[in-house]
C-alpha cells in the first residue's frame, strides 16, 4: 500500500484530535493492525453477499435500535479472527455473523469503532460488483450464482418457508417470474452475459434459458426437502446447471 505511511500519520493524529473514529472494511483492518497489532487473515474464497448478524453487546450506543438479527453486505478477501480480537482487552465485540465473522467492534465509550461490512451499500451495489467482477468468466459467475442462490434459499428460514408456502398455494403467484426481484434480474443479466461471451449459443432464447435455470432451482430445493437436506444443495445445483450449459454451448 503506497500510502501506508500517510495513513499511519492520519490514524495517529486521530488518537488525540477527534472524539470518535469510524473505520470501515479495509480501513477497519488497517486500523486494527496499526493500533492493536491485529493482523488480517486471507479467506479461502471471497466473502461476498448479504449475511445475517446478531447483536452481542446490547449496551453499546451503536447497537441501540438494532433488531436482534440484522442483515449486512460484505465484499472482501480477508478477515480478522475473533480470537485475536478477544485477546485485546481494549476491544469489545458488538455484533457478529456465523458466516461473515465479527462485524462490529469498539473501544469502551466508542472512541474507536471498527466495522468489517458495508451497511452503507445501496440496494444494487453488490449486484453491480458481482456482475463487474473481471476475475471470473460469465460462465463461472452464472454457476456460482446458481449454487449460492440455492444455498441461501435453503439456509435462510424466512426464504425457505416462503418457498414451501408458495409451492402449497401456487394460485398466489409468489413463484412467478418478476423482473423486479433481484434473483430474476441477476439471473437474466448473467444469462445474457453468457450469450454475449459464447458460453450459451446466441440462437437459444435467453428467456428460455432463464426459465430452465429457475426450474432447476425450484426442483433442487424440492428434492432437498424430500431428502431432508442430506446432500450439498449448492454442489448439486451447479452440477445440473453445467449439464444445461453444455447443451447450450455454441
Amino acid at each position: 500500500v503506497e500510502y501506508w505511511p500517510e495513513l499511519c500519520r492520519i490514524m495517529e493524529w486521530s488518537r488525540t484530535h477527534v472524539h470518535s473514529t469510524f473505520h470501515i472494511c479495509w480501513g477497519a483492518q488497517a486500523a486494527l493492525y496499526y493500533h492493536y497489532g491485529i493482523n488480517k487473515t486471507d479467506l479461502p474464497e471471497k466473502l461476498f453477499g448479504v449475511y445475517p448478524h446478531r447483536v452481542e453487546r446490547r449496551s453499546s450506543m451503536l447497537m441501540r435500535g438494532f433488531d436482534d438479527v440484522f442483515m449486512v453486505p460484505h465484499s472482501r478477501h480477508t478477515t480478522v479472527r475473533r480470537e485475536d480480537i478477544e485477546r485485546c482487552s481494549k476491544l469489545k465485540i458488538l455484533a457478529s455473523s456465523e458466516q461473515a465473522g465479527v462485524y462490529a467492534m469498539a473501544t469502551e465509550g466508542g472512541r474507536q469503532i471498527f466495522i468489517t461490512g458495508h451497511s452503507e451499500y445501496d440496494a444494487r451495489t453488490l449486484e453491480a460488483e458481482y456482475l463487474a467482477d473481471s476475475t471470473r468468466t460469465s460462465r463461472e459467475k452464472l454457476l456460482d450464482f446458481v449454487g449460492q442462490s440455492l444455498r441461501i434459499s435453503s439456509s435462510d428460514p424466512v426464504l425457505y418457508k416462503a418457498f414451501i408456502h408458495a409451492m402449497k398455494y401456487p394460485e398466489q403467484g409468489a413463484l412467478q417470474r418478476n423482473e423486479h426481484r433481484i434473483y430474476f434480474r441477476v439471473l437474466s443479466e448473467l444469462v445474457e452475459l453468457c450469450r454475449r461471451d459464447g458460453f450459451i449459443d446466441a440462437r437459444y432464447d435467453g428467456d428460455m434459458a432463464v426459465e430452465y435455470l429457475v426450474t432447476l432451482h425450484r426442483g433442487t430445493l424440492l428434492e432437498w426437502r424430500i431428502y431432508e437436506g442430506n446432500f450439498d444443495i449448492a454442489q448439486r445445483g451447479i452440477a445440473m446447471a453445467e449439464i444445461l450449459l453444455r447443451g447450450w454451448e455454441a
Side-chain angles (χ1 to χ4, degrees), residues 171-183:
E171 68 276 6
Q172 295 179 2
L175 290 177
Q176 292 178 12
R177 186 168 174 177
N178 184 334
E179 301 305 327
H180 297 293
R181 292 179 183 166
I182 188 169
Y183 169 77

Side-chain angles (χ1 to χ4, degrees), residues 57-75:
R57 195 175 179 85
R58 181 62 65 184
S59 60
S60 167
M61 182 175 65
L62 195 65
M63 295 289 105
R64 289 178 190 170
F66 271 69
D67 292 337
D68 289 338
V69 178
F70 59 97
M71 307 298 288
V72 178
H74 287 264
S75 177

Side-chain angles (χ1 to χ4, degrees), residues 16-235:
T16 54
H17 288 73
V18 296
H19 177 69
S20 181
T21 310
F22 198 91
H23 311 83
I24 298 176
C25 196
W26 184 85
Q29 293 181 353
L32 286 167
Y33 176 72
Y34 177 77
H35 292 298
Y36 302 105
I38 297 174
N39 280 300
K40 65 181 181 181
T41 302
D42 290 334
L43 291 167
E45 59 182 11
K46 185 176 183 180
L47 180 69
F48 190 88
V50 183
Y51 302 93
H53 295 66
R54 288 190 177 275
V55 174
E56 293 193 28
R57 195 175 179 85
R58 181 62 65 184
S59 60
S60 167
M61 182 175 65
L62 195 65
M63 295 289 105
R64 289 178 190 170
F66 271 69
D67 292 337
D68 289 338
V69 178
F70 59 97
M71 307 298 288
V72 178
H74 287 264
S75 177
R76 51 189 164 87
H77 293 276
T78 56
T79 191
V80 286
R81 291 189 294 251
R82 185 184 186 98
E83 54 267 32
D84 292 340
I85 298 161
E86 290 177 334
R87 276 197 289 267
C88 181
S89 60
K90 293 183 178 180
L91 293 172
K92 306 298 180 187
I93 296 173
L94 311 182
S96 65
S97 165
E98 186 176 330
Q99 298 95 333
V102 176
Y103 166 65
M105 300 143 277
T107 55
E108 201 66 50
R111 287 295 303 274
Q112 293 175 323
I113 299 166
F114 309 91
I115 303 294
T116 63
H118 287 283
S119 295
E120 80 281 5
Y121 275 9
D122 64 27
R124 299 193 69 166
T125 303
L126 273 186
E127 177 183 344
E129 278 192 25
Y130 189 80
L131 293 170
D133 182 3
S134 60
T135 63
R136 294 182 295 177
T137 66
S138 55
R139 186 182 190 276
E140 289 170 334
K141 283 189 273 192
L142 177 58
L143 290 172
D144 176 68
F145 181 77
V146 168
Q148 295 290 356
S149 57
L150 278 167
R151 182 174 286 117
I152 293 167
S153 295
S154 60
S155 62
D156 185 287
V158 175
L159 286 176
Y160 188 63
K161 286 177 183 176
F163 169 75
I164 297 303
H165 178 86
M167 290 286 287
K168 191 173 181 180
Y169 302 102
E171 68 276 6
Q172 295 179 2
L175 290 177
Q176 292 178 12
R177 186 168 174 177
N178 184 334
E179 301 305 327
H180 297 293
R181 292 179 183 166
I182 188 169
Y183 169 77
F184 290 103
R185 189 172 68 242
V186 175
L187 183 59
S188 297
E189 289 172 337
L190 288 171
V191 164
E192 284 308 307
L193 285 175
C194 283
R195 293 177 77 237
R196 182 201 67 188
D197 297 340
F199 294 112
I200 295 177
D201 194 319
R203 291 173 297 177
Y204 285 97
D205 180 73
D207 285 342
M208 179 200 71
V210 170
E211 288 300 331
Y212 278 18
L213 288 166
V214 170
T215 302
L216 182 154
H217 181 95
R218 293 170 181 163
T220 308
L221 261 182
L222 188 58
E223 189 82 353
W224 189 82
R225 178 176 173 82
I226 291 170
Y227 288 97
E228 299 179 337
N230 69 349
F231 61 85
D232 188 317
I233 191 170
Q235 244 178 32

